[in-house]
Amino acid sequence: MGKVKVHFNAVGNAPILRKSKFFVDSNKPFASLTSFLLNELHVDSLFLYCDAAFMPAPDALIFQLFECFASRGELVVNYSTTPAYG
């Protein structure tokens, strides 16, 4: 599938990215997004949510999440330094 657009949204007191939309390799696991954000934000831990509702399994492939939950051509991923939902 190539690359897909991922839109990161900060939730709560999480640091905000200067650029919030990125094209990422769709064949990578969801855990690669966590690693990327930890690097970019210089924090110790993050909670990532897909569709503002659930935490995907770390080994879920990005293209599968994109196919199921994309909105307006992008996968929205909310992130927080503390548990944010449910």
Side-chain angles (χ1 to χ4, degrees), residues 7-74:
H7 183 175
F8 293 106
N9 284 325
V11 176
N13 64 347
I16 298 172
L17 293 165
R18 288 181 192 236
K19 178 182 170 188
S20 63
K21 297 180 182 183
F22 297 87
F23 284 94
V24 298
D25 183 356
S26 64
N27 292 316
K28 289 192 174 190
F30 190 75
S32 66
L33 297 181
T34 304
S35 298
F36 170 76
L37 280 179
L38 287 170
N39 241 1
E40 288 290 312
L41 298 172
H42 307 291
V43 294
D44 294 327
S45 66
L46 281 174
F47 297 87
L48 272 65
Y49 301 91
C50 188
D51 206 24
F54 72 99
M55 296 175 76
D59 61 346
L61 296 178
I62 294 171
F63 82 86
Q64 292 171 327
L65 295 168
F66 182 84
E67 287 177 348
C68 294
F69 302 105
S71 175
R72 293 184 222 139
E74 59 189 27

